[in-house]
Amino acid sequence: MAENEEERSELYLAIVDGDFDVAAEATQALIDEGLSPDEILDKHVVPAMDEVGALFDEGEYFVPELLMASKAAQEAMATLNPLLKQAGVEKQGLVVIGTVQGDMHDIGKNLVAATLEGGGFEVIDLGVNVAPEDFVKVVKERLGEKIFVCMSALLTTTTPKMKETIELLAKEGLTGSVRTLVGGAPVTREFAEQIGADGYSDSANECVALARELAAAWE
């Protein structure tokens, strides 16, 4: 657990413990105390999710714990997002995420989406069976932001849709406006490089770290 007393807030602990009911109440309590939404995000939500990711990497947490913690973070973000937008607070970036066309699996995608949101990114979850054109449509609507297109696939037969999406982004002249990240059981780092993706991750925590790194280096 972090040593900083502020990081040990009720919200921080609720996220680490995966207690989403308490997370919602604790978020509102901090707001009522006068803390700004960006302060709550930066000093409570993000550090808590960082610890959850570390516990997962160390083998102390498993997928169920990670899912519960991500749900708790989502509950906090549901309260914070309208306030962050109202205050004009800039997030780490915008994530457009979905499981590619032909694939209906969503557990891994949902986990990554929740972890990214808890990590300070705005997330637009397009769901499953997402066509290349659907990714491109959202990118065009949000040009000018740091946009990450995150694609998931659990079937080997659907991974070509990742390449099709990247090629369509290029055809539409959007390559320089986005960073593409791919993942899923049949996806490898070598495959990601072959199709021209900007990054690959095999875990939610690694995806957040990679997205943060790319956001920091954005030109």
Side-chain angles (χ1 to χ4, degrees), residues 22-53:
V22 172
E25 297 171 359
T27 302
Q28 188 59 53
L30 290 174
I31 293 170
D32 294 342
E33 289 176 16
L35 273 70
S36 65
D38 54 317
E39 186 177 4
I40 296 172
L41 177 65
D42 293 340
K43 296 184 178 181
H44 300 268
V45 180
V46 172
M49 285 304 296
D50 284 344
E51 179 171 342
V52 170

Side-chain angles (χ1 to χ4, degrees), residues 104-126:
M104 305 301 290
H105 296 85
D106 67 354
I107 293 178
K109 182 267 298 175
N110 291 347
L111 177 56
V112 171
T115 306
L116 282 163
E117 187 172 23
F121 289 85
E122 179 183 354
V123 176
I124 296 177
D125 188 347
L126 299 181

Side-chain angles (χ1 to χ4, degrees), residues 101-151:
Q101 191 171 31
D103 201 323
M104 305 301 290
H105 296 85
D106 67 354
I107 293 178
K109 182 267 298 175
N110 291 347
L111 177 56
V112 171
T115 306
L116 282 163
E117 187 172 23
F121 289 85
E122 179 183 354
V123 176
I124 296 177
D125 188 347
L126 299 181
V128 300
N129 193 32
V130 183
E133 293 79 9
D134 295 330
F135 285 109
V136 170
K137 179 176 182 291
V138 178
V139 169
K140 286 183 174 180
E141 292 171 351
R142 299 293 293 265
L143 283 177
E145 303 180 51
K146 295 179 181 179
I147 305 175
F148 296 86
V149 172
C150 296
M151 293 173 279

Side-chain angles (χ1 to χ4, degrees), residues 71-89:
K71 171 65 175 173
Q74 280 185 312
E75 288 296 322
M77 294 309 300
T79 300
L80 292 176
N81 277 332
L83 299 175
L84 288 165
K85 186 173 294 186
Q86 187 177 22
V89 175

Side-chain angles (χ1 to χ4, degrees), residues 99-105 152-160 184-187:
T99 304
V100 295
Q101 191 171 31
D103 201 323
M104 305 301 290
H105 296 85
S152 173
L154 266 293
L155 302 173
T156 303
T157 54
T158 61
T159 56
V187 182

Side-chain angles (χ1 to χ4, degrees), residues 57-103:
D57 289 341
E58 293 164 4
E60 293 187 41
Y61 271 19
F62 299 95
V63 170
E65 288 83 5
L66 198 56
L67 283 170
M68 291 178 67
S70 297
K71 171 65 175 173
Q74 280 185 312
E75 288 296 322
M77 294 309 300
T79 300
L80 292 176
N81 277 332
L83 299 175
L84 288 165
K85 186 173 294 186
Q86 187 177 22
V89 175
E90 184 178 348
K91 291 197 170 187
Q92 299 254 4
L94 170 68
V95 172
V96 182
I97 190 170
T99 304
V100 295
Q101 191 171 31
D103 201 323

